[in-house]
Amino acid sequence: MKQVIGIVGLGKLGLCMALNLERSGHSILGVDINKQYINSINSKTLRSPEPNVESYLNTSQNFIASTDYTTLINKDCKVIFIVVATPSLASGGYDHSQIDTVINHFISFGVSEEKKHIVINCTTMPSYCDSLAQKLKPYNYSLSYNPEFIAQGSIIKDQQYPDQVLIGSNNADALQNIEEIYRSMCKNEPSFCTMSLISAEITKLATNCFLTTKISFANSIGDLAQKVGAETDKILSAIGSDSRIGSKYLGYGFGFGGPCFPRDNRALSKYATDNEYHLLISEATDLTNSAHLEFQFNQWMKIPEKESIEFDHVSYKKGTDILEESQQLALAYKLAKAGRTVIIHENDEVITKLKSIHGELFTYARRG
């Protein structure tokens, strides 16, 4: 069933969702606070490094973006996805203020004449969505939690081919509707994991916590193997061949970084501590990641001083422009500060970012 779907927050994730849903036959009403950005979407002049975004936008016919929340009062718009940022706090938890701002907009309109359902796509701290659902209930809104498991540089594809669709909700009609929406968008047959709001919030954090643990385990075993002269790749390949373990995320390389993994791991630890449970595995994972960076630094410092050290990318994932908690960049920085000549191969956008932060600390080599 084709629907009119609202999406608040048209950043990388929200825009990709809007384009995928529009391509699936739905009519999309998007809202964002950045007027210039909205204009570039409506005029189809937006430039994005994410694969397929520009081509999907250019061929879209039923996607209208606006800065006006009142467009979502449309009686045919029964489902509204909220895809805004939830930055990390110094405590390790998540800042929900942008979600709160969006919710307050809807509350300011008074009781909705039509029953509407709000779906939170942002990562939140467990128990937040339960409190939000209670806040919205008097205004004829119900609420679900539906975070996505995507990676920068492949968002469109990851939304089309998810392993699982995680939905936290206490509303049977909403669950069915969200599942129908995803079935229309997905090109595979994902597992639909439905549960309570707080269970889904914990699941989102715990899934990424497990992946960071797996990465840290692989790197620590690899460090040990290198220390004693054993065969790193063969060891990890053998471990990954066990069906109970699997080979994904079990390669030897740089530590985990980026905008999701480190934050989710810390947030789960914070939530556990707040509930008087010491989640040792989250702490050990962070410590192992830091220890691996130090091990790599010491290994690379053994390279003769006259030789330059080259990185084919320092974004947290090759092909993206994201430097957030990049372990490659952290290693490059430590080496350069230690007096080594570090050559970084990156595209113009990343090089511009690096120069604004680190000046001429590195030698830059442009690639397309």
Side-chain angles (χ1 to χ4, degrees):
M1 180 178 69
K2 306 310 178 185
Q3 302 182 45
V4 176
I5 298 173
I7 297 181
V8 180
L10 295 173
K12 287 185 177 180
L13 178 57
L15 179 59
C16 288
M17 172 173 274
L19 294 171
N20 267 326
L21 289 175
E22 191 276 340
R23 201 172 180 85
S24 303
H26 302 287
S27 295
I28 307 302
L29 300 175
V31 173
D32 199 279
I33 60 173
N34 188 329
K35 187 173 180 60
Q36 184 177 356
Y37 181 65
I38 289 296
N39 289 339
S40 70
I41 291 174
N42 288 330
S43 64
K44 300 185 178 181
T45 58
L46 176 73
R47 295 294 172 260
S48 171
E50 273 294 323
N52 296 315
V53 165
E54 291 180 20
S55 61
Y56 278 25
L57 178 61
N58 290 337
T59 57
S60 64
Q61 297 179 340
N62 298 297
F63 174 26
I64 299 173
S66 171
T67 58
D68 187 1
Y69 279 87
T70 61
T71 59
L72 302 178
I73 299 177
N74 182 326
K75 68 177 182 179
D76 294 323
C77 182
K78 304 289 179 63
V79 179
I80 302 167
F81 288 85
I82 296 180
V83 200
V84 296
T86 49
S88 290
L89 297 167
S91 64
Y94 284 121
D95 179 356
H96 303 125
S97 60
Q98 291 190 41
I99 303 176
D100 292 335
T101 298
V102 173
I103 296 301
N104 289 335
H105 272 290
F106 291 118
I107 289 176
S108 71
F109 299 142
V111 179
S112 175
E113 292 183 9
E114 304 287 334
K115 181 71 175 179
K116 291 185 182 290
H117 193 71
I118 289 179
V119 185
I120 305 294
N121 272 94
C122 333
T123 301
T124 61
M125 293 299 287
S127 78
Y128 171 74
C129 283
D130 274 317
S131 64
L132 204 59
Q134 290 302 311
K135 184 177 180 179
L136 283 165
K137 192 173 182 180
Y139 298 92
N140 206 21
Y141 291 93
S142 56
L143 182 131
S144 293
Y145 179 63
N146 167 231
E148 292 189 282
F149 299 93
I150 54 86
Q152 303 286 341
S154 59
I155 298 176
I156 291 279
K157 181 181 178 182
D158 291 345
Q159 289 178 339
Q160 293 174 349
Y161 296 93
D163 288 331
Q164 65 155 304
V165 176
L166 176 61
I167 309 170
S169 185
N170 300 316
N171 186 304
D173 291 338
L175 282 171
Q176 182 178 348
N177 196 8
I178 296 170
E179 183 170 334
E180 288 175 356
I181 289 171
Y182 271 92
R183 287 195 183 280
S184 72
M185 180 175 69
C186 296
K187 296 182 178 181
N188 63 342
E189 291 291 332
S191 297
F192 284 87
C193 304
T194 61
M195 57 194 74
S196 68
L197 290 166
I198 192 171
S199 296
E201 288 170 313
I202 292 173
T203 299
K204 166 57 167 65
L205 299 180
T207 299
N208 281 345
C209 177
F210 183 85
L211 294 176
T212 58
T213 301
K214 197 171 182 183
I215 293 167
S216 289
F217 170 81
N219 283 333
S220 62
I221 296 301
D223 289 348
L224 173 62
Q226 290 203 12
K227 186 85 173 175
V228 300
E231 298 168 299
T232 298
D233 291 341
K234 288 185 177 181
I235 292 170
L236 293 174
S237 178
I239 294 171
S241 68
D242 191 315
S243 62
R244 296 169 300 174
I245 298 171
S247 60
K248 289 184 177 181
Y249 292 87
L250 204 67
Y252 184 74
F254 296 109
F256 62 84
C260 293
F261 282 178
R263 299 196 313 136
D264 281 3
N265 187 58
R266 292 177 200 133
L268 187 61
S269 179
K270 167 72 164 56
Y271 177 69
T273 300
D274 288 348
N275 286 275
E276 300 180 349
Y277 182 79
H278 196 185
L279 196 63
L280 291 169
I281 197 163
S282 286
E283 295 179 15
T285 294
D286 256 350
L287 289 171
T288 302
N289 205 41
S290 297
H292 176 58
L293 174 62
E294 195 63 29
F295 180 86
Q296 287 187 309
F297 170 71
N298 290 327
Q299 290 293 98
W300 289 33
M301 283 295 289
K302 295 176 183 177
I303 297 172
E305 288 188 30
K306 64 181 179 180
E307 294 184 21
S308 59
I309 300 174
E310 300 193 35
F311 288 77
D312 72 344
H313 73 287
V314 292
S315 56
Y316 95 100
K317 178 183 177 185
K318 191 172 184 178
T320 73
D321 60 353
I322 299 173
L323 300 175
E324 186 176 349
E325 299 209 40
S326 165
Q327 297 301 293
Q328 297 91 301
L329 179 55
L331 177 58
Y333 178 83
K334 284 173 68 69
L335 291 167
K337 280 294 188 180
R340 307 307 298 267
T341 298
V342 176
I343 302 173
I344 292 176
H345 297 261
E346 271 292 1
N347 60 41
D348 287 342
E349 186 174 0
V350 173
I351 289 174
T352 299
K353 286 185 178 180
L354 290 170
K355 285 185 174 180
S356 70
I357 301 168
H358 299 294
E360 299 301 323
L361 178 64
F362 308 116
T363 299
Y364 301 100
R366 285 176 170 79
R367 59 176 170 78

